[in-house]
Amino acid sequence: LLQRRAVRACGCVLAVTASLADHLGTTRARVLRDGFRASRFERGTTGADPRARLTDDPAAVIVGYVGRLTTLGMAKGLPALVDAFARLRDPRLHLCVVGGPADEARVLGARWRSLGLPSGHLHLAGEVPPADVPSWLTAFDVCAMPFPRTPHFSYDASPLKLF
């Protein structure tokens, strides 16, 4: 009810996906997709190799995730990613999770340990300032976005980290 009233009161409403614009039920909704500042990623890394903070193994394959671990009370798929690591049991694989909240990261760490995965291969970096995100991304060989298949993630979410 509040959303409908707010939409009627506005001259134009901006949504980040077409699905969200459609849900608003007004012809005044426009889609303005997410984006990023390319300049943040042009600097390259300075100082130490970002991978060095994770492992000194040159054969390591670092799979990384950056972002919140939950949204709207739903897990973003990290437990499924941990389960995939357990099925693969590849000694070269490392998982680095940059984000929070911290209590969800602790749950993820407990799941990792319960599956008998090597403790030195899970790196829970916690929440970092946005300015540090490019450095973390350069440390990863693979960037993972294991979102669950739900209407929210399929149609309404805008995966800014992908951009």
Side-chain angles (χ1 to χ4, degrees):
L1 177 65
L2 288 175
Q3 179 176 299
R4 283 194 305 270
R5 285 182 182 171
V7 167
R8 279 194 303 260
C10 295
C12 180
V13 179
L14 300 176
V16 294
T17 69
S19 176
L20 285 173
D22 290 344
H23 289 314
L24 293 172
T26 179
T27 58
R28 293 187 305 253
R30 302 289 179 261
V31 177
L32 184 62
R33 302 197 188 283
D34 270 338
F36 70 98
R37 284 182 297 240
S39 61
R40 290 182 59 209
F41 296 86
E42 292 170 356
R43 291 189 296 251
T45 59
T46 59
D49 174 12
R51 292 176 64 87
R53 65 183 150 201
L54 301 174
T55 181
D56 58 2
D57 179 359
V61 176
I62 300 172
V63 177
Y65 172 84
V66 176
R68 305 246 345 129
L69 306 184
T70 59
T71 190
L72 301 173
M74 297 180 283
K76 283 191 163 179
L78 276 293
L81 186 58
V82 169
D83 291 347
F85 270 70
R87 285 193 299 277
L88 291 171
R89 298 279 177 188
D90 186 325
R92 297 171 299 159
L93 289 177
H94 289 246
L95 176 59
C96 179
V97 177
V98 179
D103 57 334
E104 293 295 328
R106 281 191 292 278
V107 169
L108 198 63
R111 183 182 197 106
W112 183 273
R113 289 186 300 280
S114 75
L115 294 169
L117 293 165
S119 61
H121 288 223
L122 175 63
H123 313 278
L124 299 172
E127 296 180 57
V128 302
D132 292 350
V133 169
S135 176
W136 282 101
L137 292 173
T138 62
F140 305 156
D141 296 300
V142 176
C143 293
M145 296 184 68
F147 296 152
R149 190 174 187 103
T150 67
H152 169 74
F153 289 111
S154 297
Y155 303 108
D156 298 336
S158 179
L160 187 55
K161 269 69 95 198
L162 175 64
F163 302 143

